[in-house]
Amino acid sequence: MTAQRPTVLATFTGDANPYGGGDPYADYRTADFPFTRYADLADRRLGAGVVAANDEFFAQRENLLVPGAAEFDPEHFGHKGKIMDGWETRRRRGASAEHPWPTAEDHDWALVRLGAPGVIRGIVVDTAHFRGNYPQAVSVEGVSVPGSPSPEELLADDVKWTTLVPRTAVGGHAANGFAVSVEQRFTHLRVNQHPDGGIARLRVYGEVVPDPRWLSALGTFDVVALENGGQAEDASNLFYSPATNTIQPGRSRKMDDGWETRRRRDNGNDWIRYRLVAQSEIRALEIDTAYLKGNSAGWASVSVKNGDEAEWSEVLPRTRLQPDTNHRFTLAAPVVGTHARVDIFPDGGISRLRLFGSLTEEGASRLAARHQELGG
């Protein structure tokens, strides 16, 4: 097991005050974590799941990956006690009356399958609403196992886990953030809480590293999709929703599952810049405005460039968009690029961008080399 010292960007320890009424987040302890600009690899929309836990007596393990902030209802009790929006285990006890306390090694654990394998840049262990029943400390380990391993296979003695966050004290009712600097590709995490307690949410931020053999077998695929390794690098405005939404799997299911900007009062326009999975040949594209009805972009254009320092080349001229509609375009000739940019006019939003094509020989070679370098 390889260990590293974490960079704890905001340290919260000790109990939070008991809930005193009013807004339960009024005394929530949090901070800005720079790694949250990356995608959440444990997003349920990508296919992430909590596949096993040793104990979930008070609250189910699946709550760890629920989108959005944890909710709190002070009057919500069940036959096992207070119902919490998180993963909560029973109180551990020692072996006997003479030794009623748990040992230093006693802990609870949950196994998390990442929705998309990748390099992890930061982890947030959120103990929202767990004020006096949070774990004393947490640790997180990662492993890369191909295919779809069972919990028993992941816990086998020959599986070698890498420590991403060593055992570190955390605080109650707080977002506990850890930067991670292990340059490896991971498929699964083991989240440990010492000795017991509750965690509301787990967020795992990083860069998707796809399997090049899978993409090669597909032939034509969406070369900007998050699950295939695309990234939303920057955007002009993120007032209502993140740009990463536009490359999430599937169609948008509601208005905030896309990208929407604030209303402009000038003569400018809004945009998103993307990095493709690798150098690709693009042959068709889609711009979807699903669920954006009175606030969809009026017009859009798409440009591509080949290399960080290259000039942008427009592949779809400024085109009128319809609300709540999926627009499909085929290109007159394939276009090779590493980056793409969608401009909307003057403001508003789109729900999804799809760029269909295939890797070039150079793109496939570089992707395979990175995959091997990261232990994939």
Side-chain angles (χ1 to χ4, degrees), residues 209-223 227-229 277-280 283 357-369 371:
V209 180
D211 186 341
R213 295 166 296 184
W214 173 252
L215 298 183
S216 176
L218 292 179
T220 295
F221 60 94
D222 182 359
V223 299
E227 61 186 327
N228 293 332
V277 55
Q279 188 187 68
S280 304
R283 294 183 287 274
S358 54
L359 296 176
T360 64
E361 186 175 339
E362 177 184 337
S365 176
R366 291 191 177 187
L367 188 62
H371 185 263

Side-chain angles (χ1 to χ4, degrees), residues 112-130:
V112 177
R113 179 190 65 242
L114 298 180
V119 178
I120 297 169
R121 302 301 182 192
I123 295 172
V124 173
V125 177
D126 189 346
T127 58
H129 315 303
F130 290 94

Side-chain angles (χ1 to χ4, degrees), residues 7 10-11 20 52 122 163-164 167 182 195 218 251 261 282 287 299 307 314 335 345 371:
T7 301
T11 301
T163 300
L164 305 179
R167 183 169 174 168
V182 178
L218 292 179
R251 293 200 73 198
T261 70
I282 302 167
I287 300 175
W299 292 261
E314 192 174 70
V335 176
F345 301 88
H371 185 263

Side-chain angles (χ1 to χ4, degrees), residues 116-150:
V119 178
I120 297 169
R121 302 301 182 192
I123 295 172
V124 173
V125 177
D126 189 346
T127 58
H129 315 303
F130 290 94
R131 295 171 175 270
N133 51 347
Y134 59 94
Q136 181 184 36
V138 300
S139 61
V140 183
E141 301 159 280
V143 72
S144 182
V145 179
S148 304
S150 67

Side-chain angles (χ1 to χ4, degrees), residues 44 48-66 84-89 109-113 151 191 193 199-203:
R44 284 288 300 167
V50 187
V51 299
N54 72 305
D55 184 275
E56 47 186 329
F57 185 86
F58 285 116
Q60 294 79 15
R61 65 182 191 261
E62 288 86 357
N63 289 335
L64 283 173
L65 306 186
V66 170
M84 298 293 291
D85 185 8
W87 167 50
E88 185 180 6
T89 65
W109 53 264
L111 296 178
V112 177
R113 179 190 65 242
V191 181
Q193 48 179 341
I199 299 170
R201 296 289 188 266
L202 176 75
R203 304 301 186 220

Side-chain angles (χ1 to χ4, degrees), residues 183-200:
E183 289 294 319
Q184 294 181 38
R185 178 181 184 267
F186 295 102
T187 61
H188 295 76
L189 299 185
R190 183 162 60 189
V191 181
N192 306 301
Q193 48 179 341
H194 308 266
D196 54 33
I199 299 170

Side-chain angles (χ1 to χ4, degrees), residues 282-285 315-316 329-335:
I282 302 167
R283 294 183 287 274
L285 62 93
V315 299
L316 178 71
F329 308 93
T330 56
L331 303 184
V335 176

